[in-house]
Amino acid sequence: MSAAPPTTPTRQARLARAAVAALFLTNGAVFFNIVPRYPQIKAELGLSNAVFGTALAAHPIGALLAGLLAGAAIRRFRSARVASLGIVVTTVATLFIPLVPNWVAFGGVLFVVGALDAIVDVAQNAHGLRVQRLYGRSIVNSLHGVWSIGAVLGGLMGSAAAGLDMPLAVHLGISATLFSVTALVAYRFLLPGPEDAERSAEAQDGHPARAETQDGRPARRAGRRSFTGAAVRMLAALGVLAACGTLIEDAGASWGALYLSGDLRTDAATAGLAVVALQVAMTVGRLTGDRVVDRFGQRTVVRSGGALAAVGMGAALAMPSVPTALAGFALAGLGVATLVPAAMHTADELPGLPAGAGLTIVSWLLRGGFLLSPPLVGFVADLTSLRVGLLSVVLAGAVTFVLARVLVNRTPA
């Protein structure tokens, strides 16, 4: 009879969790330091809205093109090194932004930053899932919550620098130094060894998630045929689930303020609360989600969250007012708080795939959702109204409710 997993995490596990949380924090903070400086960059380069928007599109394009390289990078260099050193290289890339002479160069820098961000994102999630297996319970939702805190921190830093009229080069130099040092210190405490080290230990202890082959290796390494057929269908379903999460998140970021200021005639300050309501609720959901997932299982939690997002946003659109709209965006954010971490976890547990492959593919499809969501909602809004366009949130919640059945429902223990 196999021994039960320890109830108290080891010191190594606690340090690794703190270290990978620091990587999530820095990853969120680095890019969002730049966002509040966009008006200054646009004005200094003398760009129209259309040209500036074209330059900004280079970021998700770079992420899409480079995202599929993450799995190979992790297998060659391991997730700890890719995540921590990738953040350092990303901060160095941001230092070129104050030097760009035109929109093409600006777009080129954003392309590189987006490409690096995609690879770092997969690596930090892969390492977070390693730590989660060591803990024997869910922690990945709290890591995504820490990323959201980092995004808020970066936004506040950028806003403060802009308000103080700090030169962009000085501001980004401070950001690069601070977060590079954080990433390098965190690297010292990340887990050593191969990516499947904790998974192998689980298999030796009789963990139900992984059987062993006759030569003692985890079955995950043995069945490469499953990359076609059932695994491909699972990855497609998980990719759609993750894209639903990004569509709902982007609805608040891209369209929330426009909906409140246009359809509901609010002032600019009130309109900006739409994305705040969604992000705050999502952050709270992620910071508290691990305990809920451990108790009820991530399939049940994600399915309930999809229903909450669909019903909440549907009611808000059916009874349009400022309070119902803010409540609808908040319920949507809370509803999908654990969706992306759950899709990533299930993808990482698929048997027969090389280390990091499932996580890489789902992360890539997720970023496709960020790229396609704005034009999709905008097209529907132009044909009808933005209120109708935001029904995409209701549809995404309903799709989440249906497809959540493909998720792993057990806790990692």
Short mmCIF file of all heavy atoms in Angstrom, two decimals, residues 236-248 339-340 343-344 362-363 365-367 369-370 400:
data_model
loop_
_atom_site.label_atom_id
_atom_site.label_comp_id
_atom_site.label_asym_id
_atom_site.label_seq_id
_atom_site.Cartn_x
_atom_site.Cartn_y
_atom_site.Cartn_z
N ALA A 236 -7.88 20.51 -28.81
CA ALA A 236 -8.78 21.45 -29.49
C ALA A 236 -9.85 21.95 -28.53
O ALA A 236 -10.14 23.15 -28.47
CB ALA A 236 -9.41 20.77 -30.70
N ALA A 237 -10.44 21.03 -27.76
CA ALA A 237 -11.47 21.43 -26.80
C ALA A 237 -10.90 22.34 -25.73
O ALA A 237 -11.51 23.35 -25.35
CB ALA A 237 -12.10 20.19 -26.17
N LEU A 238 -9.70 22.01 -25.25
CA LEU A 238 -9.07 22.84 -24.22
C LEU A 238 -8.69 24.20 -24.78
O LEU A 238 -8.78 25.23 -24.08
CB LEU A 238 -7.83 22.13 -23.68
CG LEU A 238 -8.10 20.86 -22.87
CD1 LEU A 238 -6.80 20.12 -22.59
CD2 LEU A 238 -8.82 21.19 -21.56
N GLY A 239 -8.27 24.24 -26.04
CA GLY A 239 -7.96 25.51 -26.67
C GLY A 239 -9.18 26.40 -26.79
O GLY A 239 -9.12 27.61 -26.56
N VAL A 240 -10.33 25.81 -27.16
CA VAL A 240 -11.58 26.58 -27.24
C VAL A 240 -11.97 27.09 -25.86
O VAL A 240 -12.39 28.25 -25.70
CB VAL A 240 -12.71 25.71 -27.85
CG1 VAL A 240 -14.05 26.43 -27.74
CG2 VAL A 240 -12.41 25.39 -29.30
N LEU A 241 -11.82 26.24 -24.84
CA LEU A 241 -12.12 26.67 -23.47
C LEU A 241 -11.25 27.87 -23.07
O LEU A 241 -11.76 28.86 -22.53
CB LEU A 241 -11.88 25.51 -22.50
CG LEU A 241 -13.05 24.58 -22.21
CD1 LEU A 241 -12.57 23.43 -21.32
CD2 LEU A 241 -14.18 25.32 -21.53
N ALA A 242 -9.95 27.76 -23.31
CA ALA A 242 -9.05 28.85 -22.95
C ALA A 242 -9.39 30.12 -23.72
O ALA A 242 -9.35 31.23 -23.17
CB ALA A 242 -7.60 28.44 -23.20
N ALA A 243 -9.74 29.97 -25.01
CA ALA A 243 -10.12 31.13 -25.82
C ALA A 243 -11.38 31.78 -25.30
O ALA A 243 -11.53 33.01 -25.36
CB ALA A 243 -10.29 30.70 -27.28
N CYS A 244 -12.31 30.98 -24.77
CA CYS A 244 -13.52 31.55 -24.16
C CYS A 244 -13.14 32.43 -22.98
O CYS A 244 -13.72 33.51 -22.77
CB CYS A 244 -14.46 30.43 -23.70
SG CYS A 244 -15.36 29.61 -25.03
N GLY A 245 -12.16 31.98 -22.19
CA GLY A 245 -11.71 32.79 -21.07
C GLY A 245 -11.10 34.10 -21.53
O GLY A 245 -11.37 35.16 -20.95
N THR A 246 -10.29 34.06 -22.59
CA THR A 246 -9.68 35.30 -23.08
C THR A 246 -10.72 36.22 -23.69
O THR A 246 -10.61 37.45 -23.59
CB THR A 246 -8.59 34.99 -24.11
OG1 THR A 246 -9.16 34.32 -25.24
CG2 THR A 246 -7.51 34.12 -23.52
N LEU A 247 -11.73 35.66 -24.36
CA LEU A 247 -12.77 36.50 -24.95
C LEU A 247 -13.51 37.27 -23.86
O LEU A 247 -13.77 38.48 -24.00
CB LEU A 247 -13.75 35.63 -25.74
CG LEU A 247 -14.82 36.37 -26.56
CD1 LEU A 247 -15.19 35.56 -27.80
CD2 LEU A 247 -16.08 36.65 -25.75
N ILE A 248 -13.84 36.59 -22.76
CA ILE A 248 -14.55 37.26 -21.68
C ILE A 248 -13.66 38.32 -21.03
O ILE A 248 -14.11 39.44 -20.74
CB ILE A 248 -15.04 36.23 -20.65
CG1 ILE A 248 -16.12 35.34 -21.28
CG2 ILE A 248 -15.57 36.92 -19.40
CD1 ILE A 248 -16.57 34.19 -20.40
N LEU A 339 -10.72 29.30 -15.15
CA LEU A 339 -10.85 28.60 -16.43
C LEU A 339 -9.50 28.35 -17.10
O LEU A 339 -9.17 27.21 -17.46
CB LEU A 339 -11.78 29.38 -17.36
CG LEU A 339 -11.88 28.92 -18.82
CD1 LEU A 339 -12.22 27.44 -18.90
CD2 LEU A 339 -12.91 29.77 -19.57
N VAL A 340 -8.73 29.39 -17.31
CA VAL A 340 -7.45 29.23 -18.02
C VAL A 340 -6.49 28.34 -17.23
O VAL A 340 -5.87 27.42 -17.81
CB VAL A 340 -6.83 30.60 -18.35
CG1 VAL A 340 -5.40 30.43 -18.87
CG2 VAL A 340 -7.68 31.33 -19.38
N ALA A 343 -7.63 24.73 -17.81
CA ALA A 343 -7.33 24.23 -19.15
C ALA A 343 -5.85 23.90 -19.28
O ALA A 343 -5.46 22.88 -19.88
CB ALA A 343 -7.75 25.26 -20.20
N MET A 344 -4.99 24.75 -18.72
CA MET A 344 -3.55 24.49 -18.78
C MET A 344 -3.18 23.24 -17.98
O MET A 344 -2.36 22.43 -18.43
CB MET A 344 -2.80 25.70 -18.23
CG MET A 344 -2.82 26.91 -19.14
SD MET A 344 -1.86 28.28 -18.46
CE MET A 344 -1.77 29.37 -19.90
N VAL A 362 -2.12 24.75 -25.96
CA VAL A 362 -3.28 25.43 -25.38
C VAL A 362 -2.96 26.92 -25.16
O VAL A 362 -3.82 27.78 -25.40
CB VAL A 362 -3.71 24.75 -24.08
CG1 VAL A 362 -4.72 25.59 -23.31
CG2 VAL A 362 -4.31 23.38 -24.38
N SER A 363 -1.76 27.24 -24.72
CA SER A 363 -1.38 28.64 -24.54
C SER A 363 -1.39 29.38 -25.86
O SER A 363 -1.78 30.56 -25.93
CB SER A 363 0.01 28.73 -23.90
OG SER A 363 0.02 28.16 -22.62
N LEU A 365 -3.29 28.63 -28.53
CA LEU A 365 -4.69 28.83 -28.91
C LEU A 365 -5.33 29.92 -28.05
O LEU A 365 -6.17 30.69 -28.54
CB LEU A 365 -5.46 27.51 -28.75
CG LEU A 365 -5.06 26.40 -29.73
CD1 LEU A 365 -5.73 25.09 -29.35
CD2 LEU A 365 -5.43 26.78 -31.16
N LEU A 366 -4.95 30.01 -26.80
CA LEU A 366 -5.45 31.05 -25.91
C LEU A 366 -5.10 32.43 -26.47
O LEU A 366 -5.95 33.34 -26.51
CB LEU A 366 -4.84 30.86 -24.53
CG LEU A 366 -5.12 31.85 -23.40
CD1 LEU A 366 -4.99 31.13 -22.06
CD2 LEU A 366 -4.14 33.03 -23.41
N ARG A 367 -3.88 32.60 -26.92
CA ARG A 367 -3.47 33.90 -27.47
C ARG A 367 -4.18 34.20 -28.78
O ARG A 367 -4.40 35.36 -29.12
CB ARG A 367 -1.95 33.93 -27.63
CG ARG A 367 -1.24 33.97 -26.30
CD ARG A 367 0.26 33.97 -26.42
NE ARG A 367 0.88 33.99 -25.11
CZ ARG A 367 1.12 35.09 -24.41
NH1 ARG A 367 0.81 36.27 -24.91
NH2 ARG A 367 1.68 35.02 -23.22
N GLY A 369 -7.24 33.61 -29.16
CA GLY A 369 -8.49 34.21 -28.69
C GLY A 369 -8.34 35.69 -28.44
O GLY A 369 -9.22 36.49 -28.79
N PHE A 370 -7.20 36.11 -27.87
CA PHE A 370 -6.96 37.53 -27.64
C PHE A 370 -6.87 38.29 -28.96
O PHE A 370 -7.29 39.45 -29.05
CB PHE A 370 -5.67 37.73 -26.86
CG PHE A 370 -5.85 37.74 -25.37
CD1 PHE A 370 -5.17 36.83 -24.57
CD2 PHE A 370 -6.70 38.64 -24.77
CE1 PHE A 370 -5.34 36.84 -23.20
CE2 PHE A 370 -6.88 38.66 -23.39
CZ PHE A 370 -6.20 37.75 -22.60
N THR A 400 -18.33 27.38 -22.34
CA THR A 400 -17.53 26.90 -21.20
C THR A 400 -18.30 25.87 -20.39
O THR A 400 -17.76 24.83 -19.99
CB THR A 400 -17.14 28.08 -20.30
OG1 THR A 400 -16.33 28.99 -21.05
CG2 THR A 400 -16.38 27.61 -19.07
#
